[in-house]
Amino acid sequence: MTEQPMTEQPMTDRLSFPRNFVWGSATAAYQIEGAAHTDGRLPSIWDVFCQVPGKVRNGDTGEVACDHYHRMTEDLDLMAALGLPSYRFSVSWPRVIPGGSGPVNHAGLDFYQRLVDGLLERGITPLLTLYHWDLPQALQVRGGWTNRDTVDRFVEYAVAVAAALGDRVPGFTTLNEPFCSAFLGYASGVHAPGETDRHAALTAAHHLNLAHGRAVSALRSVTAAELSITLNLAHLYPASDSEADLAAAEHVDRIANRIFLDPILRGSYPQELLTETKHLSDWAFLADGDLAEIAAPIDSLGVNFYNPTTIAAATEQLRGQLAGRWQNDPEGTGGPSQWPGTDLAYAIPMPGPHTGMGWPIVPEALTELLLRVHRDYPGVAMVVTENGAAFDDVVTADGQVHDADRVDYVHRHLAAVHAAIQAGADVRGYYLWSLLDNFEWAWGYSKRFGIVYVDYDSLARIPKASARWYADAIRQNSIPALGS
Ligand code: FCB
């Protein structure tokens, strides 16, 4: 008898990532910094929104948050202890140009100088997001993102930050999730500034696109850094094979994804988008030359992904079930919710398992999404700039947080990224959301996304089991194969 050849046997039970794959973790200014009135910072739209009764769970605000502004050194040491190769953070516009326009506040900018220096000293590569939703309130009183003037104010701010940091920061992202700024901020109203006007939302989306494109062109003459934008792309499953549900899913694809992807990567808006939103807006905000400016070449596309969504056509029956429900509220007991910015489509609850946000856990959707972008926008390099999960973490008697559910979520999603790379997608990095538990927007402090637990009374940081698991993956540039 001859022995079976061993060649079918896998060499390793781990999934290895490409040699230059960037591992990181992400945060955003308003969610962690606190120090809302320190060193000349003035209010952002989120400071104002938090004061509106009923808008943020428990009346929470970002006044103190994780107090990262004062605990930056401790947090840098925490990152170094985890062996984090890269850190994605955002700069607070109302710290740097508190009035939205006018002079730069050097005391505010200095904080980011110290942060960047501290990262570099520890060998951690910064990835800087210019706008993670904290518009200076001074610009909101002039119309915020519905005012075309905000575009040039953003460009001035971007150039001021790059002039100070562009020699040491190798990657700048213009905007985080403009979908949320435009459609949650101006259509469903669940985010600041809390407006409910679909024409305003479309106007804001266009101005955000233009702000991105103009900033990219302006930044090229100030810094050699790689430039990108981060989109939260919706991965959509039609609720059925019916023509109506298929059409609804395509409609949402246009108002959630292609409204950003197409002008940025193809230099045009989908023609159907203009027709199907005609009753809301005449698109008079789209001026000659805008599309060419928006399509300024970028070096990579940031993709944020948490969960896919099932989409159904709006029917009378679904409309009835919807009555009185708050968008995306997991306590909305599982009924459909209207997709922000349209009355033609509903998001339908998906079967479990779910995270602590009530979001379905479907890792293969991330593989599909990355491959879809790779197919439809050939040549685009991608970075997963956010992925992670909230769970109801508890500190147990041993003083630890045993967040096995988060480890499993991250593990499966990293395997999904690996699968997309194997299938040909150019995915260059992964940033886990989030380094710290933090202010989760309309959910306040009730949702914990961190791999480091934050005790909001003492502000002590406790690395969770997921932090140790992630540190190990980083060290090995690989993860255990699923099921091994
Ligand atoms: C994303 C945001 C980020 C965080 C996560 C959970 O939409 O960019 O700030 O809130 O969701």
Side-chain angles (χ1 to χ4, degrees), residues 27-28 31 88 132-133 176-177 180 184 191 230 232 304 306 357 359 386 388 433-434 438-441 449:
T27 63
Q31 295 180 275
R88 173 179 183 248
H132 200 125
W133 307 352
N176 177 71
E177 303 190 352
C180 296
L184 304 188
H191 280 186
T230 278
N232 55 320
N304 289 356
Y306 291 90
M357 297 295 284
W359 297 347
E386 282 181 31
W433 184 272
S434 180
N438 59 47
F439 175 79
E440 179 47 35
W441 308 112
F449 274 91

Side-chain angles (χ1 to χ4, degrees), residues 381-464:
M382 290 174 276
V383 174
V384 176
T385 37
E386 282 181 31
N387 175 246
F391 288 104
D392 296 333
D393 300 315
V394 284
V395 182
T396 44
D398 58 359
Q400 303 289 315
V401 180
H402 302 279
D403 57 340
D405 34 19
R406 183 172 294 100
V407 168
D408 189 61
Y409 178 99
V410 172
H411 186 180
R412 289 176 189 280
H413 285 78
L414 275 164
V417 173
H418 186 271
I421 296 172
Q422 293 296 109
D426 182 1
V427 187
R428 301 191 175 172
Y430 175 93
Y431 289 80
L432 209 168
W433 184 272
S434 180
L435 178 69
L436 303 170
D437 290 339
N438 59 47
F439 175 79
E440 179 47 35
W441 308 112
W443 296 97
Y445 298 100
S446 67
K447 302 294 175 188
R448 295 180 177 273
F449 274 91
I451 52 173
V452 175
Y453 184 93
V454 176
D455 175 327
Y456 291 115
D457 294 324
S458 66
L459 292 168
R461 277 82 162 131
I462 306 172
K464 304 178 191 177

Side-chain angles (χ1 to χ4, degrees), residues 26-28 31 88-90 129-134 154 173-182 191 208 212 228-232 302-304 306 385-386 433 441:
T27 63
Q31 295 180 275
R88 173 179 183 248
F89 64 95
S90 80
T129 300
L130 285 159
Y131 184 71
H132 200 125
W133 307 352
D134 44 358
F154 176 71
T173 300
T174 53
L175 307 175
N176 177 71
E177 303 190 352
F179 170 83
C180 296
S181 300
H191 280 186
L208 284 154
H212 155 76
S228 62
I229 184 170
T230 278
L231 302 178
N232 55 320
V303 176
N304 289 356
Y306 291 90
T385 37
E386 282 181 31
W433 184 272
W441 308 112

Side-chain angles (χ1 to χ4, degrees), residues 2-308:
T2 53
E3 256 181 63
Q4 289 294 313
M6 295 296 288
T7 47
E8 296 297 300
Q9 210 67 9
M11 292 298 290
T12 165
D13 55 0
R14 297 187 69 87
L15 305 175
S16 291
F17 284 78
R19 200 154 36 86
N20 297 327
F21 192 75
V22 178
W23 300 82
S25 185
T27 63
Y30 190 71
Q31 295 180 275
I32 64 165
E33 285 178 0
H37 312 284
T38 308
D39 291 338
R41 182 187 182 278
L42 289 178
S44 75
I45 53 176
W46 271 94
D47 296 272
V48 173
F49 190 69
C50 287
Q51 298 305 322
V52 182
K55 290 296 187 188
V56 176
R57 176 76 57 109
N58 299 322
D60 289 344
T61 75
E63 291 275 309
V64 177
C66 308
D67 198 30
H68 168 72
Y69 195 83
H70 296 114
R71 289 161 201 257
M72 187 231 283
T73 307
E74 178 187 348
D75 291 338
L76 285 167
D77 290 343
L78 203 54
M79 291 181 224
L82 293 177
L84 210 64
S86 183
Y87 175 56
R88 173 179 183 248
F89 64 95
S90 80
V91 172
S92 159
W93 187 348
R95 282 195 200 286
V96 174
I97 303 188
S101 63
V104 169
N105 171 35
H106 290 283
L109 199 49
D110 280 354
F111 171 74
Y112 300 102
Q113 303 267 19
R114 296 195 299 277
L115 174 61
V116 167
D117 290 343
L119 288 167
L120 296 175
E121 278 160 20
R122 291 165 180 80
I124 303 170
T125 305
L127 173 59
L128 185 158
T129 300
L130 285 159
Y131 184 71
H132 200 125
W133 307 352
D134 44 358
L135 188 75
Q137 176 64 14
L139 295 182
Q140 187 57 41
V141 297
R142 292 185 244 150
W145 287 110
T146 65
N147 182 350
R148 194 175 166 97
D149 182 62
T150 298
V151 171
D152 289 323
R153 302 291 74 77
F154 176 71
V155 176
E156 281 169 11
Y157 155 68
V159 167
V161 174
L165 300 170
D167 56 337
R168 284 161 296 151
V169 173
F172 281 73
T173 300
T174 53
L175 307 175
N176 177 71
E177 303 190 352
F179 170 83
C180 296
S181 300
F183 290 95
L184 304 188
Y186 290 88
S188 65
V190 300
H191 280 186
E195 293 186 10
T196 50
D197 170 350
R198 291 185 191 147
H199 166 69
L202 291 168
T203 313
H206 178 67
H207 289 155
L208 284 154
N209 278 333
L210 189 58
H212 155 76
R214 263 190 204 169
V216 165
S217 299
L219 289 172
R220 293 277 181 217
S221 52
V222 191
T223 173
E226 292 198 355
L227 305 179
S228 62
I229 184 170
T230 278
L231 302 178
N232 55 320
L233 297 175
H235 191 67
L236 305 165
Y237 297 119
S240 77
D241 286 344
S242 77
E243 248 175 62
D245 286 346
L246 290 171
E250 287 199 0
H251 167 61
V252 171
D253 186 42
R254 286 188 288 272
I255 60 165
N257 298 325
R258 294 183 58 197
I259 191 170
F260 303 107
L261 285 169
D262 280 24
I264 292 167
L265 297 172
R266 292 181 175 152
S268 60
Y269 283 108
Q271 191 49 50
E272 305 95 307
L273 176 67
L274 273 57
T275 332
E276 70 202 348
T277 56
K278 224 176 36 231
H279 61 296
L280 303 174
S281 173
D282 57 6
W283 285 69
F285 47 75
L286 172 55
D288 283 353
D290 285 1
L291 287 166
E293 287 195 82
I294 295 170
I298 50 175
D299 301 301
S300 64
L301 175 71
V303 176
N304 289 356
F305 175 85
Y306 291 90
N307 60 279

